[in-house]
Amino acid sequence: MTTTEPTPEGFRSGFACFVGRPNAGKSTLTNALVGSKIAITSSKPQTTRHVIRGIVTRPDAQLVLIDTPGLHKPRTLLGERLNTLVHDTWSEVDVIGVCLPADQRVGPGDTHLVSEIAALPKRPKLVALATKSDLVSGDRMRQHLLAIAGLEEKLGIRWEHVVPVSAVSGEQVDEVADVLISLLPEGPAYYPDGEVTDEPTETLVAELIRECALEGVRDELPHSIVVTVEEMGLREDRPADKPLLDIYANLIVERDSQKGIMIGHKGSRLKEVGSEARQQISRLLGTPVHLDLRVKVLKEWQRDPKYLNRLGF
């Protein structure tokens, strides 16, 4: 949806998405470019579960960044639906930024991913992003850039630009924005100035809770966690200068044994997650928060179409 504000001559606008293997730094880079935390990050694979739009508005352009789940070999119906979401996004954007982490070699997973993009009937412009540049030496980066360049001939593609970047240190983040914007068509702004995402607040809150729940869990549990916000609103009996936001949320897992892990000994793990999530939500929304967090079991929800539809997948 375009805004009613007139845009200056030569104004560029459009959509870009980051792709890459799980944990390639896509969400961290999205947050760094937007300048606000809109996408959750974790070392766990498949952290991103749905499409998140981050908005970068400058006097000369508006870039809408679409953060997608990492493409992976699906083991569940949820995994299949997430992969479909990724492919659908590719066909709708102007530019794809392929995240190839500098601390890992360009491998078969990267080659497969780029070859899938190369096979698109209408291929967006491609930019290679050598993410996590702060973790490697100059020599290692040179080898990495040579490997990235080698994909052009091997897969019959063309990189419009190749940019080393570190979202953590901030190195070359502005350069990535400049490069992506230079490849957008001229057009009007899609969102009002000052807006950083079109994500509903409830979704952002649920994702922040899930990010806190992901820390410290291992094996299959990360994939089994989903969060729903049942109710959210300002407490009515509070004075205007001392607001309190009440949030009632469910942390959903697939098995009773997982419920025990999430609650912890005498509720210690759940208290930890609740405390960290409350602080993060309060920082995001600028309001003190009361968080009521319960753990529920939905048996095998990742494989059940009824549960997936109910949970918004």
Side-chain angles (χ1 to χ4, degrees), residues 22-23 26-27 38-42 44-53 66-72 75-87 89 199 203 206-211 213-214 217 219-228 250-254 258 262 298 300-303 307-308 311-313:
N23 200 22
K26 302 180 292 295
S27 298
I38 59 155
I40 71 170
T41 57
S42 167
K44 306 289 185 292
Q46 296 167 50
T47 298
T48 304
R49 283 260 183 81
H50 57 281
V51 168
I52 294 162
R53 286 183 182 82
I66 303 176
D67 187 35
T68 60
L71 203 65
H72 62 287
R75 295 195 308 251
T76 62
L77 182 57
L78 172 65
E80 288 172 21
R81 289 190 179 183
L82 294 184
N83 277 356
T84 300
L85 198 60
V86 175
H87 283 107
T89 303
E199 200 71 1
T203 307
E207 287 291 87
L208 283 176
I209 295 169
R210 186 163 68 90
E211 181 182 54
L214 283 172
V217 296
D219 302 330
E220 287 303 300
L221 192 49
H223 308 297
S224 302
I225 297 170
V226 69
V227 175
T228 59
N250 292 327
L251 207 159
I252 294 167
V253 292
E254 290 188 300
Q258 295 170 343
M262 282 314 311
L298 282 183
E300 302 293 335
W301 67 262
Q302 292 185 85
R303 292 168 172 79
Y307 285 151
L308 286 173
L311 294 167
F313 293 109

Side-chain angles (χ1 to χ4, degrees), residues 282-302:
S282 189
R283 275 200 297 274
L284 176 78
L285 303 180
T287 309
V289 167
H290 166 76
L291 176 61
D292 186 300
L293 192 56
R294 309 285 169 96
V295 182
K296 294 195 169 180
V297 177
L298 282 183
K299 301 274 186 200
E300 302 293 335
W301 67 262
Q302 292 185 85

Side-chain angles (χ1 to χ4, degrees), residues 111-142:
T111 306
H112 172 69
L113 177 66
V114 179
S115 65
E116 294 228 344
I117 296 169
L120 291 172
K122 180 174 173 275
R123 191 192 304 167
K125 291 173 179 172
L126 296 180
V127 173
L129 301 168
T131 53
K132 308 190 182 185
S133 64
D134 58 312
L135 299 181
V136 298
S137 66
D139 277 350
R140 174 71 194 102
M141 179 57 81
R142 279 187 283 280

Side-chain angles (χ1 to χ4, degrees), residues 204-245:
L204 287 171
V205 166
E207 287 291 87
L208 283 176
I209 295 169
R210 186 163 68 90
E211 181 182 54
C212 295
L214 283 172
E215 286 315 304
V217 296
R218 58 185 194 277
D219 302 330
E220 287 303 300
L221 192 49
H223 308 297
S224 302
I225 297 170
V226 69
V227 175
T228 59
V229 173
E230 301 302 306
E231 201 180 320
M232 187 166 96
L234 288 169
R235 195 172 292 184
E236 289 179 0
D237 58 359
R238 303 279 292 199
D241 60 342
K242 288 187 179 173
L244 184 66
L245 184 67

